[in-house]
Amino acid sequence: MAKTPSDTSSATVHALPTLPGQADRLLRELEWKVIRRLDGLLQGDYRTLMRGSGLDLADLREYQPHDDVRHIDWNVTARLNLPHVRVFTEDREMTAWFLLDLSPSISFGPEGHSKRDILTGFVAVLSRLLTRHGNRVGAMLYGGASGQAERAVDTVLPPRSSRAHVLHLVHRLLAPDAKARTTSKAGGAATELHRLLRTGLANLRRRSTVFVVSDFISAPGWEKPLAQLAQRHDVVAVRLLDPLELELPDVGLITLRDAESGEQLQVDTHDAAFRRRFARLAAEREAVLREGLARAGADTLELSTDDDLVDALLRFMDMRQRRVRAPRGAPSTLSPAGAAALPTAA
């Protein structure tokens, strides 16, 4: 639910300006403020933080949960009567895909620091860090506001490894087409995140690192395709959130508007009982969402609108390092505060 002043009828949607050269200016600013502090940390060891799909056999080991069943060595399994998998030497080059949810709810958040701004900064920095070391980056953009149910995604950018390609991606995030910029109206269609995930599942043939960036405010049905995607690829679910989605402040009479459907509701936040009900329902949704992400078998990184991008990327690197050091563990979750949740069996 997006918050609007009580004397207006339109949703508060942070519209990103489309100025000439804005993508280049933003990328240069991020390179100066963020990438210089992180360069060398993410790709310093290709066998740790990010792994490509190699072809050279390195070792054999006993099968563990979350291993790719396609790597089972059936001859060794038959001789030892225990399932064993092949371990390959990782390629020095990898392909990363960003599956980006740009539905109307992504525009919620403080001016200049909305969930969409966080998404843009995260994708820009990570894409540039990867491409500077020869890796390729591609993206699938899902707007969710086009009103055309048959369209699973709005844009597909094939993987490339140049700075110009990163600029093109950032430009698409800053200056989307008219349909993706359309604000929600009454009776609008809900976001169907499963369409984006199924498109990725059908089109990503080679094993890749896949970042699913969304607030996961969506119609049901995304858990199964996310789990299937995690079985084939190295998947990181990047969840965007805003503190106001979890707890309402006491600011008096306000109008709430659903960014997806356009439905409006006037509420009195002076009512402590209402704020408690809101917080309880939000907590219940949080529990269901985290349980669904854990069952899918994907690592989860949570990015809040009041979060620092450098801290978020450092948490991401720490998560990847711990994941490699403990390959037998279940997927982990990192909150905006940086505290990792205990692994839960998928």
Side-chain angles (χ1 to χ4, degrees):
M1 302 288 284
K3 184 182 74 172
T4 65
S6 57
D7 58 347
T8 64
S9 59
S10 60
T12 299
V13 177
H14 174 55
L16 291 165
T18 56
L19 302 177
Q22 185 188 12
D24 183 68
R25 289 197 297 273
L26 175 61
L27 188 56
R28 287 179 184 274
E29 179 181 355
L30 291 172
E31 286 175 335
W32 179 258
K33 293 182 178 179
V34 179
I35 296 179
R36 289 187 62 194
R37 296 173 59 184
L38 300 175
D39 194 24
L41 296 178
L42 186 61
Q43 290 290 330
D45 185 351
Y46 283 80
R47 293 183 58 84
T48 56
L49 295 179
M50 293 292 188
R51 294 179 288 182
S53 55
L55 298 176
D56 297 330
L57 181 64
D59 197 4
L60 289 166
R61 62 170 173 81
E62 188 176 341
Y63 175 87
Q64 298 294 332
H66 311 296
D67 282 339
D68 192 337
V69 295
R70 294 174 295 179
H71 293 164
I72 293 179
D73 189 311
W74 296 107
N75 292 329
V76 176
T77 297
R79 287 200 301 268
L80 301 180
N81 201 28
L82 283 173
H84 279 67
V85 294
R86 302 185 188 97
V87 179
F88 298 96
T89 301
E90 290 81 11
D91 286 338
R92 290 186 63 84
E93 294 183 2
M94 58 163 288
T95 300
W97 279 89
F98 291 92
L99 273 56
L100 305 178
D101 172 15
L102 303 180
S103 57
S105 63
I106 294 294
S107 298
F108 182 73
E111 182 76 15
H113 212 61
S114 66
K115 290 188 287 186
R116 180 155 188 162
D117 295 319
I118 299 299
L119 177 149
T120 302
F122 177 81
V123 171
V125 169
L126 204 52
S127 297
R128 190 63 188 125
L129 281 170
L130 292 171
T131 55
R132 288 179 70 175
H133 294 274
N135 302 299
R136 301 188 305 157
V137 170
M140 295 183 182
L141 279 57
Y142 170 73
S146 65
Q148 300 183 20
E150 68 275 7
R151 291 183 59 181
V153 296
D154 301 317
T155 304
V156 177
L157 300 179
R160 299 286 188 272
S161 59
S162 65
R163 186 178 188 275
H165 178 66
V166 177
L167 278 173
H168 180 52
L169 172 57
V170 174
H171 175 73
R172 294 306 300 261
L173 295 177
L174 292 176
D177 57 43
K179 289 183 179 180
R181 286 202 310 269
T182 303
T183 57
S184 61
K185 298 179 180 180
T191 298
E192 296 180 323
L193 189 60
H194 66 86
R195 293 185 177 274
L196 173 62
L197 298 174
R198 293 191 186 280
T199 301
L201 192 62
N203 291 277
L204 304 186
R205 302 298 183 182
R206 182 182 177 183
R207 181 173 174 82
S208 307
T209 299
V210 180
F211 299 91
V212 181
V213 189
S214 172
D215 57 5
F216 292 90
I217 299 177
S218 167
W222 55 265
E223 295 91 345
K224 183 177 179 180
L226 181 63
Q228 293 172 332
L229 197 66
Q231 289 175 355
R232 299 185 184 181
H233 305 277
D234 183 12
V235 175
V236 179
V238 182
R239 186 203 166 196
L240 309 171
L241 69 154
D242 186 275
L244 289 180
E245 296 172 330
L246 306 178
E247 186 175 355
L248 285 178
D250 184 357
V251 292
L253 192 65
I254 62 172
T255 298
L256 301 179
R257 176 169 179 153
D258 191 318
E260 303 288 334
S261 66
E263 180 182 358
Q264 297 186 35
L265 178 67
Q266 194 170 59
V267 299
D268 183 8
T269 59
H270 279 318
D271 188 346
F274 171 78
R275 296 199 308 273
R276 288 194 298 268
R277 289 196 303 271
F278 183 94
R280 175 176 55 81
L281 293 174
E284 292 175 358
R285 178 185 177 276
E286 283 285 298
V288 172
L289 177 56
R290 293 190 178 188
E291 182 181 357
L293 290 170
R295 284 199 308 266
D299 288 337
T300 302
L301 174 65
E302 295 184 345
L303 297 182
S304 174
T305 55
D306 60 359
D307 205 4
D308 180 78
L309 184 57
V310 174
D311 292 340
L313 288 169
L314 289 175
R315 293 200 311 271
F316 168 70
M317 296 176 204
D318 179 69
M319 177 178 69
R320 304 301 294 184
Q321 289 173 335
R322 290 188 292 102
R323 186 81 161 110
V324 173
R325 286 197 300 265
R328 300 182 182 184
S332 59
T333 299
L334 282 177
S335 68
L342 293 176
T344 304

